[in-house]
Amino acid sequence: MAQGCTNCKGGPTSKGFCPFSLVLFAGSAISYVRYLKYKSEKKMSATDDEPFRVLFVLGGPGAGKGTQCQLLSENLGWAHLSAGDLLRAERKKEGSELADIINSNISAGKIVPSEITVTLVKNAMMELREARGQMKFLIDGFPRSEGNVNAWKEVVGERANVESVLFFECPEDILTSRLLERAKTSGRSDDSIDVIRKRFVTYREESMPIINMYEKEGKVRKIIADRSIEEVYKELELIVKD
């Protein structure tokens, strides 16, 4: 039989968790996010006035964003930062207080809390600038929600100039077949058919309104992504060089 929490009067709830422990966990996560933000602010020198050049790269899961960003990085010198890869790396870090939060959101096909994602992206940009003077960044899979956009404005703000949003358009049936094929070798928990369906719902409900918002600002450059890698890259290179 489950034991009651020593911090609460009575036994555990019917859902199997202690409300007191849940509050402690949430408070710890919030504190850690604030610590990450403070740490990134401290790294930013007052003399570093030149803003980063940024291209957001959006599109449905499986649209080929990562492949094309890698080609642009190799050929045109833009650093490729994948929001998803940064989150996956954080999930694997020993002692990370955010790992459980990130894992549960990704496994459910949901978007990770925006402050976490933005802080990881910002830290990665600053580390690359300090290491090799990198100032041009392709940010793959970001922003995916209004919360992402607001967090970007708050955490990064004028330290980066978002020049364009590269939008990869591709039908969902093709995206699904690509993801299922990738699942054979990727080992990713979010490449299962159930999670893929949830990711599409999240994409339609939360990401498409962001793309529409940037389109009204005249920043969206559309790329038809249901073509060969070579055909997509040829068009994409011309857009980025423009």
Side-chain angles (χ1 to χ4, degrees):
M1 181 176 177
Q3 297 296 319
C5 173
T6 58
N7 296 300
C8 298
K9 295 180 179 179
T13 67
S14 60
K15 293 185 179 179
F17 59 79
C18 163
F20 182 81
S21 298
L22 185 61
V23 169
L24 282 179
F25 178 75
S28 177
I30 293 169
S31 297
Y32 190 65
V33 170
R34 287 174 179 167
Y35 167 71
L36 285 176
K37 184 179 177 183
Y38 166 76
K39 192 175 174 183
S40 67
E41 292 286 352
K42 198 171 180 181
K43 285 183 181 179
M44 182 69 72
S45 168
T47 60
D48 294 324
D49 294 329
E50 183 183 356
F52 295 116
R53 295 178 61 193
V54 169
L55 298 177
F56 288 151
V57 185
L58 296 174
K65 302 183 297 295
T67 298
Q68 295 298 331
C69 284
Q70 189 59 38
L71 290 172
L72 288 172
S73 178
E74 293 170 0
N75 297 322
L76 299 183
W78 287 75
H80 172 209
L81 294 179
S82 164
D85 286 349
L86 290 171
L87 288 166
R88 281 185 282 275
E90 188 69 23
R91 293 169 75 184
K92 296 175 182 178
K93 284 185 180 178
E94 291 187 13
S96 170
E97 297 182 40
L98 300 179
D100 288 341
I101 299 173
I102 296 172
N103 284 334
S104 61
N105 277 272
I106 290 179
S107 295
K110 295 181 180 179
I111 291 174
V112 171
S114 300
E115 293 80 8
I116 296 173
T117 305
V118 175
T119 300
L120 293 175
V121 170
K122 181 184 174 184
N123 287 347
M125 289 194 297
M126 291 192 297
E127 286 168 8
L128 285 171
R129 181 184 61 192
E130 292 170 5
R132 59 175 192 248
Q134 182 67 46
M135 294 298 294
K136 301 189 300 182
F137 294 92
L138 299 162
I139 303 183
D140 169 9
F142 182 90
R144 294 185 177 186
S145 68
E146 184 178 356
N148 281 178
V149 174
N150 293 336
W152 176 268
K153 290 177 181 177
E154 179 184 347
V155 177
V156 179
E158 295 181 357
R159 297 186 182 95
N161 177 29
V162 179
E163 297 180 1
S164 295
V165 177
L166 306 177
F167 173 41
F168 287 65
E169 286 189 300
C170 190
E172 283 190 11
D173 58 336
I174 293 177
L175 296 177
T176 301
S177 63
R178 287 180 178 179
L179 291 170
L180 291 175
E181 184 63 28
R182 185 175 74 180
K184 295 177 182 178
T185 57
S186 71
R188 286 174 50 171
S189 61
D190 57 345
D191 277 345
S192 68
I193 187 63
D194 289 338
V195 176
I196 287 170
R197 289 178 181 140
K198 292 176 183 176
R199 292 173 72 192
F200 284 150
V201 171
T202 301
Y203 172 69
R204 288 193 298 268
E205 293 180 353
E206 299 198 42
S207 298
M208 280 307 302
I210 300 307
I211 293 167
N212 294 335
M213 179 194 76
Y214 281 119
E215 190 163 26
K216 289 177 182 178
E217 295 178 9
K219 288 191 173 183
V220 173
R221 305 297 296 272
K222 293 183 180 180
I223 299 98
I224 304 302
D226 58 341
R227 298 176 291 169
S228 70
I229 292 173
E230 293 77 16
E231 288 176 310
V232 173
Y233 180 73
K234 186 177 180 180
E235 178 184 352
L236 189 59
E237 186 178 58
L238 291 174
I239 291 173
V240 175
K241 282 182 174 179
D242 186 10

